[in-house]
Amino acid sequence: MILTVTLNTALDITYRVRSLRPHASHRVSEVTERPGGKGVNVARVLAALGHEVTVTGFTGGATGRVVQEKLAAVPGVVDALVPLSGATRRTVAVVDERTGDTTQLNEPGPMVTPGEWSAFQEAYEDLLPAASAVALCGSLPPGVPVGAYAGLVRTARSAGIPVLLDTSGEPLRRGVAARPDIIKPNADELAELTGSHDPLRATQDARRRGARAVVASLGDAGLLAVTPEGRWRATPPTHIRGNPTGAGDAVVAGLLSGLVRRLPWPDRLARTAALSVASVLAPVAGEFDRTVCEELLGRVAVTEEISTA
């Protein structure tokens, strides 16, 4: 099974409005609720791809109970969330039906006590022996040490389990130094980590900082990967409007799927890019249309990158 870690789980709420206007009242045409947080979205996509997935992290309060009730209805996903005294956060996405753009509002998450953090670490270590790969995803809730992901990376590596890290800021900086197998920053996260706005140079620099492979998610420009086997860019066919909330999570899922299936990097990146675009076209994060994904796959261009550094 693949283990996904979401320390800051959420109940994702999506509102659809005809046109989003500041300082105005809006009539909502549709509301959806899904168990969320980056690792939970990753797990949902992986399950749809046919993988067995276990979700761990924290959950608490009435919102946490709703998350677990809805998670139980997702085929192929096993709930191994650890309870805490605080309430799981909510995220709100407002989709403008006229433009297709999405506005995102994210709560910070509950306070985690030292005892709750210790309980999670014990649960994480117990789950690792059955895992074929681990994804560490998203922000850290208050109370969790800033070096938490670095410690979780080292624990997975000590157990011989490949680990993908998808976070930002100081948790990413410290996590990279622990030598994860893959990191997946977006353009802003990559620039913050390295100080460079040149994608290829920054991606190479991020790998020198400790990651075995770096896959940068560059929006419409696709994916840029620097790996021990080579450097490639996967470019989707066209700019597509939709809900980008779960696009990065679909990238993580695609990379993990390719990792455990031992696909060559060019194939892995092509499938991941198609999956990411298909997720943008889906109404909520963590979903995609398999037919659309397969159609897009034939239109993704994968080219080898030549380093000038």
Side-chain angles (χ1 to χ4, degrees):
M1 65 87 174
I2 298 174
L3 177 64
T4 72
V5 175
T6 312
L7 296 176
N8 213 0
T9 54
L11 179 65
D12 287 346
I13 303 167
T14 302
Y15 294 136
R16 300 185 70 87
V17 299
R18 179 170 296 178
S19 177
L20 181 62
R21 293 168 291 124
H23 316 298
S25 296
H26 297 80
R27 191 174 297 278
V28 176
S29 60
E30 182 182 352
V31 181
T32 58
E33 292 186 342
R34 295 288 190 279
K38 294 179 76 64
V40 175
N41 293 336
V42 170
R44 192 183 297 114
V45 175
L46 283 169
L49 291 171
H51 296 279
E52 294 182 359
V53 193
T54 296
V55 171
T56 190
F58 290 111
T59 183
T63 307
R65 289 192 292 274
V66 174
V67 166
Q68 291 187 285
E69 289 170 4
K70 292 183 176 296
L71 197 60
V74 181
V77 176
V78 174
D79 175 1
L81 293 167
V82 176
L84 81 169
S85 56
T88 296
R89 67 187 178 128
R90 296 161 298 180
T91 70
V92 178
V94 183
V95 179
D96 185 320
E97 294 176 336
R98 178 177 56 85
T99 65
D101 292 333
T102 301
T103 299
Q104 190 79 15
L105 304 173
N106 297 327
E107 295 179 0
M111 177 65 67
V112 177
T113 68
E116 290 165 342
W117 175 236
S118 295
F120 169 78
Q121 290 175 290
E122 292 178 8
Y124 176 71
E125 292 180 14
D126 289 343
L127 289 165
L128 282 177
S132 57
V134 176
L136 305 173
C137 304
S139 61
L140 299 179
V144 172
V146 71
Y149 281 137
L152 298 179
V153 168
R154 293 188 187 99
T155 301
R157 286 179 55 83
S158 296
I161 311 300
V163 56
L164 184 153
L165 176 62
D166 181 22
T167 188
S168 60
E170 190 62 21
L172 175 59
R173 189 180 306 279
R174 297 198 187 193
V176 168
R179 307 185 68 82
D181 293 86
I182 306 173
I183 63 170
K184 190 223 66 69
N186 61 30
D188 291 339
E189 292 161 352
L190 189 61
E192 183 182 12
L193 175 66
T194 65
S196 174
H197 291 274
D198 176 79
L200 183 56
R201 186 180 299 275
T203 305
Q204 292 178 126
D205 181 28
R207 184 166 181 259
R208 286 191 291 267
R209 291 169 185 257
R212 178 172 171 80
V214 180
V215 181
S217 181
L218 304 176
D220 292 345
L223 305 174
L224 176 62
V226 175
T227 80
E229 289 77 25
R231 306 176 182 89
W232 294 274
R233 186 186 296 269
T235 307
T238 55
H239 170 68
I240 296 176
R241 284 190 176 274
N243 182 359
T245 306
D249 304 329
V251 170
V252 173
L255 293 173
L256 285 169
S257 180
L259 172 67
V260 300
R261 289 175 172 162
R262 302 182 183 277
L263 296 179
W265 270 105
D267 291 347
R268 198 183 305 188
L269 292 169
R271 290 182 176 279
T272 298
L275 184 62
S276 177
V277 175
S279 76
V280 171
L281 295 172
V284 294
E287 295 185 358
F288 69 98
D289 186 302
R290 186 178 293 273
T291 301
V292 171
C293 187
E294 290 299 323
E295 189 275 331
L296 288 165
L297 178 59
R299 299 163 59 199
V300 174
V302 180
T303 55
E304 190 169 4
E305 288 286 315
I306 305 300
S307 173
T308 57

